[in-house]
Amino acid sequence: MLWRRLTALALLATGAFPQEEVELRQLNEDNFKATIAHGVWLVEHFSPRCSHCKAFAPTWEELAHEKAYHEQLTGFHMAQVNCLAQGDLCNSNDIRGYPSLILYADGKEVGEFKEDRAYPILEAWIEEKALAYARGEPLGATVEEGEQEEERPTQLSRPNPDGKVVEVDEAGLEALKANGPVFVDFFAPWCSHCKKLRPIYEKLAAAYKGALNIVAVNCDDHPLVCRRNGVMGYPTIKLFQDGEVKPFEQHRTISLMTKFLDEQVKGVPMKKIMSEDFESIVANDDIFFVFATSYATSLEEIEQVERAVKPLGLSVPVYKTNDPLFYKNQSIAMPPPTSSLLAFASHDPQHVSAVALPAKDEDLRLFVQRNRYPNFFELSGDNYNSLFQAEDHPLVVLGAIRDGADGESERQEMLKTAKAWKKGGRPFEQRVLFVSASAVNWEKWLRKMVGIFPVNIPALVVIDTSKNEFYDQTIEGEHAHVRGADAFSVLEGIYQNFLTGKAIESALEWGSRSGTLLLFEAGQWSAAHPFLATLGALACVVGLVLALARCLGGRRPSTRGGYMNEKGVQRLD
């Protein structure tokens, strides 16, 4: 394992990048302590008169030149002390022979290189120490007597990993509160309102899987915990965050609880990860960002990224890493930028987009905005309004697909196209989203909205939500199908202003889009619940008859002519 890690890091240095002439850094008694106070330093203590030092000089100079990129990437530096000129400094450093290669980390001596000073051996040792320092791993004898090294967890800890409500005791609740925000339901098992809430609360936990701990405390089993938290009735729901407590006092619906959490939960700090955590993140998170930092990352860059990702709230996880192996795995150029923000989607281990820092705030904001959504998703009643009425008015590449095996093949083609567009599509000012719509479930909508009839399925259109227009033909003048080439052709035609859009409203002539969605959802519900739909229809008819009778009954003839209204006041219509 160690050898694979050293080999991987060594490969970082083989990339083509400018090799500037490196001046050998000389330390003296005045600047020694201040210089080695930050970062990891390999310091050669030598004497100009020493024959071994003279023989080693070319190797040292070559290594200082080849490993200079580590100063920015990992914080590994190389320097020299001329003991003939700095005798007191070498004595205070307990130097007993030349050359002596002493390793310091953040001002403390942590080891000495005592092996053969051949280039490949010393190079491998340098790579090992640079990697360990960047990853926060022990470099050597850095622990004071009586102290112990803190072990890093073997698995990445994430809130609510299973998307389920977890019942906790006092110790469990306090442990969760110490690690981030917690939403807590204080309940009693005999409480009818608590029983009614539980299925809703379970759905809420599923919605915040991997994002927020959703827990419950049984007040019959833990009465003291409930009294300490001011529980006066059941259920009592509270949000704990950063020592603050905010009660939830609205109707206990998923939509209201979600709105409360999205508004009240502060930006969750970026969780630090290492390369070995990445596989599980890709498997669990459909969309996420990674802030790749280096030793040279500035406080301003960190604050800039924090501002840019703050609007994501709990909806999209953001991680940070300074692991050099992550840079290698993502093929980031060497020497790297001081830091980069990378976007990932669709459980793909390779990033779909990246921005190097420093960058303009607006560029960073747009980068986050454009990459916060999945490459590809399915149209539903839940996401319809957020898609077609979004404030930034995206371009929607909509594929009307079949059900069954054919539909799955078309869905995979859409996904592949979406990934290709993310990596190399035109830079529209609008977001470009790829969406599938079941030709069965959305038949009426597709026909009325964009003129797609069952005989045309599978078909593809691009909807410009900013203009209420759609495009259903390629540059070549053919009807677009669910193919990558067709999607790129239509988008290219829009980008180059080669194509003319068709007005959605004139094709619809069916009222507003919200009304269309309401009718569609009513039809879907009726098909799924025919008996209840029939009863509802009968109830509507009876209500209409009663209302009509009431209106007619209120307009009875008057002996003086005209009609009487419901209060007996004469009206002359």
Side-chain angles (χ1 to χ4, degrees):
M1 173 65 75
L2 177 60
W3 174 249
R4 287 200 300 270
R5 284 164 61 182
L6 293 178
T7 302
L9 187 59
L11 288 173
L12 290 170
T14 64
F17 59 89
Q19 294 283 354
E20 299 178 358
E21 196 66 33
V22 177
E23 182 179 354
L24 297 180
R25 187 181 285 107
Q26 301 293 320
L27 302 182
N28 54 50
E29 194 165 9
D30 294 332
N31 65 16
F32 184 84
K33 289 186 178 180
T35 300
I36 69 168
H38 303 287
V40 59
W41 290 79
L42 180 61
V43 181
E44 179 198 12
H45 297 76
F46 76 101
S47 170
R49 297 176 180 174
C50 163
S51 59
H52 295 294
C53 300
K54 294 177 182 179
F56 178 59
T59 300
W60 179 266
E61 290 179 7
E62 184 178 0
L63 281 168
H65 175 71
E66 295 293 336
K67 303 305 173 183
Y69 71 92
H70 268 303
E71 294 195 4
Q72 177 173 303
L73 179 63
T74 65
F76 184 94
H77 308 76
M78 296 176 67
Q80 293 177 307
V81 173
N82 183 339
C83 290
L84 188 62
Q86 303 292 328
D88 291 342
L89 176 59
C90 291
N91 288 334
S92 65
N93 290 340
D94 198 25
I95 301 303
R96 299 180 182 275
Y98 309 123
S100 290
L101 306 182
I102 310 299
L103 187 68
Y104 301 89
D106 298 325
K108 294 183 178 180
E109 181 180 336
V110 294
E112 180 178 1
F113 181 78
K114 295 182 178 180
E115 303 175 41
D116 188 323
R117 291 186 293 272
Y119 183 98
I121 297 176
L122 182 53
E123 180 190 35
W125 189 84
I126 288 174
E127 295 293 348
E128 175 189 346
K129 300 305 181 183
L131 176 63
Y133 182 77
R135 290 169 53 91
E137 297 172 348
L139 292 171
T142 59
V143 182
E144 301 291 340
E145 186 175 354
E147 296 180 355
Q148 291 185 349
E149 285 284 354
E150 182 179 347
E151 294 187 3
R152 183 178 180 273
T154 56
Q155 289 187 333
L156 177 67
S157 173
R158 61 174 65 234
N160 190 10
D162 300 320
K164 296 180 179 180
V165 176
V166 178
E167 292 193 13
V168 296
D169 55 14
E170 184 173 21
L173 178 60
E174 293 303 317
L176 291 175
K177 285 162 59 177
N179 290 322
V182 189
F183 201 46
V184 185
D185 167 31
F186 296 94
F187 76 100
W190 45 263
C191 163
S192 59
H193 294 295
C194 302
K195 294 176 181 178
K196 184 178 179 180
L197 170 64
R198 183 48 66 98
I200 299 173
Y201 205 58
E202 292 282 1
K203 291 181 180 179
L204 184 73
Y208 282 94
K209 179 181 179 181
L212 178 68
N213 285 310
I214 309 290
V215 305
V217 175
N218 186 331
C219 291
D220 278 5
D221 293 342
H222 308 287
L224 185 59
V225 179
C226 296
R227 284 200 298 272
R228 286 175 177 170
N229 285 283
V231 176
M232 305 295 291
Y234 309 120
T236 293
I237 306 176
K238 297 186 177 186
L239 172 67
F240 295 83
Q241 181 176 226
D242 296 336
E244 299 179 358
V245 182
K246 296 180 180 178
F248 175 77
E249 297 174 334
Q250 306 172 47
H251 291 295
R252 294 181 286 271
T253 64
I254 287 184
S255 59
L256 288 178
M257 285 191 285
T258 298
K259 182 180 179 182
F260 172 83
L261 291 173
D262 289 345
E263 290 176 350
Q264 297 297 329
V265 174
K266 302 173 184 176
V268 179
M270 292 178 279
K271 185 179 291 293
K272 186 174 181 178
I273 62 170
M274 294 298 173
S275 61
E276 57 266 32
D277 301 320
F278 193 66
E279 184 176 350
S280 67
I281 292 172
V282 171
N284 284 282
D285 298 329
D286 185 21
I287 299 291
F288 63 95
F289 292 88
V290 176
F291 180 32
T293 65
S294 69
Y295 185 77
T297 298
S298 67
L299 178 60
E300 289 77 11
E301 291 173 352
I302 295 173
E303 292 174 344
Q304 188 180 26
V305 170
E306 288 176 344
R307 289 195 302 271
V309 302
K310 185 177 180 180
L312 297 175
L314 297 171
S315 61
V316 180
V318 183
Y319 304 95
K320 65 179 178 181
T321 185
N322 62 345
D323 190 343
L325 295 182
F326 177 83
Y327 279 82
K328 185 264 177 181
N329 294 336
Q330 293 298 316
S331 302
I332 297 175
M334 299 303 293
T338 55
S339 53
S340 301
L341 186 61
L342 293 81
F344 295 82
S346 303
H347 305 284
D348 189 336
Q350 286 298 314
H351 64 278
V352 296
S353 189
V355 59
L357 277 79
K360 295 180 180 178
D361 280 346
E362 180 63 12
D363 292 342
L364 204 56
R365 185 192 69 80
L366 288 174
F367 173 81
V368 172
Q369 176 70 12
R370 290 172 177 170
N371 290 281
R372 66 178 297 177
Y373 296 96
N375 279 337
F376 169 69
F377 56 93
E378 186 171 355
L379 183 64
S380 69
D382 291 335
N383 62 31
Y384 182 95
N385 285 334
S386 63
L387 178 62
F388 288 104
Q389 298 177 11
E391 293 182 1
D392 61 336
H393 303 296
L395 282 173
V396 179
V397 182
L398 181 72
I401 64 176
R402 295 168 286 186
D403 287 348
D406 290 334
E408 182 57 32
S409 175
E410 292 153 10
R411 187 176 288 104
Q412 290 302 317
E413 177 67 15
M414 289 282 293
L415 176 59
K416 183 171 69 173
T417 305
K419 288 182 178 180
W421 181 263
K422 278 275 189 179
K423 288 183 178 294
R426 289 287 198 176
F428 282 94
E429 292 184 3
Q430 301 157 270
R431 284 183 294 137
V432 178
L433 302 178
F434 288 76
V435 182
S436 69
S438 166
V440 175
N441 295 339
W442 292 88
E443 178 185 350
K444 292 182 179 179
W445 184 90
L446 290 167
R447 175 165 47 85
K448 297 288 186 178
M449 180 72 85
V450 290
I452 295 179
F453 292 84
V455 70
N456 304 125
I457 304 301
L460 182 140
V461 297
V462 177
I463 300 174
D464 187 343
T465 60
S466 68
K467 300 178 180 178
N468 288 332
E469 293 179 346
F470 70 92
Y471 304 80
D472 59 0
Q473 291 188 333
T474 64
I475 294 178
E476 295 77 18
E478 299 177 353
H479 282 287
H481 293 277
V482 181
R483 293 190 292 256
D486 286 16
F488 270 74
S489 178
V490 178
L491 288 166
E492 181 66 19
I494 298 172
Y495 187 81
Q496 298 285 1
N497 293 317
F498 291 156
L499 300 178
T500 301
K502 301 177 182 179
I504 288 177
E505 296 301 334
S506 62
L508 182 61
E509 294 180 355
W510 195 22
S512 68
R513 289 187 297 277
S514 296
T516 301
L517 180 62
L518 181 61
L519 290 173
F520 168 73
E521 290 183 335
Q524 277 193 318
W525 184 87
S526 299
H529 307 86
F531 178 71
L532 293 177
T534 302
L535 288 180
L538 289 174
C540 289
V541 171
V542 171
L544 182 61
V545 170
L546 291 176
L548 185 60
R550 183 178 179 85
C551 285
L552 294 177
R555 295 180 57 167
R556 55 186 182 274
S558 167
T559 56
R560 297 169 53 185
Y563 290 86
M564 304 291 289
N565 65 13
E566 293 179 353
K567 295 184 179 181
V569 178
Q570 184 178 356
R571 291 174 51 196
L572 295 175
D573 292 313

